Amino acid sequence: MRAGPPQIEEVDWAFPVSVLDVVLMGRYAGFRPFARWTRADRTAAMEAIERVGLAPFAHRQAGALSGGQRRRVLMARSIARGARLLLLDEPFA
């Protein structure tokens, strides 16, 4: 059996957005046009960032992070969204 192409996410890491901004994007459910992030949104995002150990990088550009840190940013985004269960393929990779 041959191995397929490597698994890569479709994320433009060169886009100038901070770690906090990426995690806040997970809070878009129910977000209305022209609305602003609430204090609850920011609190949930920061708690998720702290939970994955990236608090010192919250205001850094997401594209400046290592590959492993980028994966943790995406996990924080899921946590901030309110995911109660994460199914991970190769969680130790």
Side-chain angles (χ1 to χ4, degrees):
M1 180 177 213
R2 288 180 21 170
Q7 297 174 356
I8 56 172
E9 64 272 346
E10 295 292 324
V11 176
D12 181 5
W13 291 107
F15 190 79
V17 64
S18 73
V19 169
L20 177 60
D21 292 332
V22 173
V23 177
L24 278 169
M25 289 176 200
R27 303 286 295 179
Y28 272 133
F31 201 72
R32 294 183 316 272
F34 307 109
R36 293 184 176 253
W37 299 116
T38 65
R39 184 179 305 244
D41 291 325
R42 291 189 177 279
T43 299
M46 282 306 298
E47 286 175 357
I49 290 169
E50 289 171 6
R51 196 163 174 188
V52 298
L54 291 177
F57 304 99
H59 299 287
R60 186 174 293 182
Q61 184 175 347
L65 302 178
S66 71
Q69 290 168 327
R70 290 177 183 177
R71 297 218 186 278
R72 287 193 279 161
V73 168
L74 297 177
M75 288 180 66
R77 185 175 66 177
S78 296
I79 293 167
R81 180 163 176 92
R84 294 187 293 165
L85 176 67
L86 297 175
L87 298 177
L88 303 174
D89 179 27
E90 302 179 41
F92 298 108

